[in-house]
Amino acid sequence: MSNSTALRSFYLRLLQGWNDRDANGMAECFSIDGILIGFDGSLADSREAIQKHLSPIFADHPTAAFVAIIRTTRRIGSAGILLADVGMVPPGAEEINPAANARQTMVANKDGDGWRVSLFQNTPASLHWDEKGREALSAELNASFKRRGLLPD
């Protein structure tokens, strides 16, 4: 398996943890000193902090599921960088919520156990000054969701 394919698979495992509402599974994808920056700007700095941050979110909220389009992967030394666009499908909905569209950046390092996230950032894709781009992104995410479901194979 190529490094690019392995990095993509690892990212999808991370998102599947969110979609499954599995705080432990998601936190396990991070290095001990990994950092998660949430959609709202919240910061969790360490695997333990990430697990503690996610647990009440999953326990107290019916979270929407990610729909992802991976845009690019690249290697920088022993690290991998992945960029993706995501939408979120609320429970019971048949389309994404355009207000929750985001651009995700994952920086991961390969160690003896495989990949571990060093930094994961989920930035709103509000595209305030690009209405056509915002609408096109939502349309692309909805089309992907209808064609293949939440996450790519």
Side-chain angles (χ1 to χ4, degrees):
M1 179 181 297
S2 74
N3 281 325
S4 178
T5 301
L7 190 61
R8 290 171 59 91
S9 294
F10 176 68
Y11 167 75
L12 295 174
R13 182 176 133 208
L14 177 71
L15 291 193
Q16 192 63 56
W18 175 276
N19 289 354
D20 290 344
R21 302 168 50 93
D22 180 1
N24 292 329
M26 201 168 165
E28 281 299 314
C29 291
F30 285 80
S31 63
I32 295 290
D33 59 351
I35 298 169
L36 175 126
I37 302 171
F39 185 82
D40 65 349
S42 56
L43 177 68
D45 189 356
S46 78
R47 183 187 297 161
E48 181 180 353
I50 291 164
Q51 193 277 333
K52 287 180 180 177
H53 173 75
L54 294 172
S55 289
I57 292 170
F58 294 146
D60 299 336
H61 305 287
T63 53
F66 281 120
V67 173
I69 299 171
I70 297 170
R71 300 298 187 188
T72 187
T73 63
R74 65 182 67 135
R75 289 291 300 253
I76 298 180
S78 64
I81 298 174
L82 182 143
L83 303 175
D85 287 330
V86 297
M88 300 200 83
V89 180
E94 295 183 20
E95 292 191 340
I96 63 159
N97 170 7
N101 290 352
R103 298 248 154 94
Q104 293 183 335
T105 304
M106 181 184 78
V107 178
N109 287 290
K110 200 169 186 181
D111 65 18
D113 295 331
W115 292 98
R116 295 279 183 211
V117 178
S118 297
L119 173 67
F120 183 77
Q121 184 161 350
N122 194 41
T123 304
S126 302
L127 306 175
H128 295 295
W129 310 112
D130 184 4
E131 184 175 344
K132 287 182 183 179
R134 186 173 59 247
E135 290 171 359
L137 178 58
S138 291
E140 184 182 14
L141 288 163
N142 272 320
S144 289
F145 176 52
K146 288 178 188 340
R147 184 178 70 252
R148 56 143 168 95
L150 295 170
L151 302 176
D153 292 331

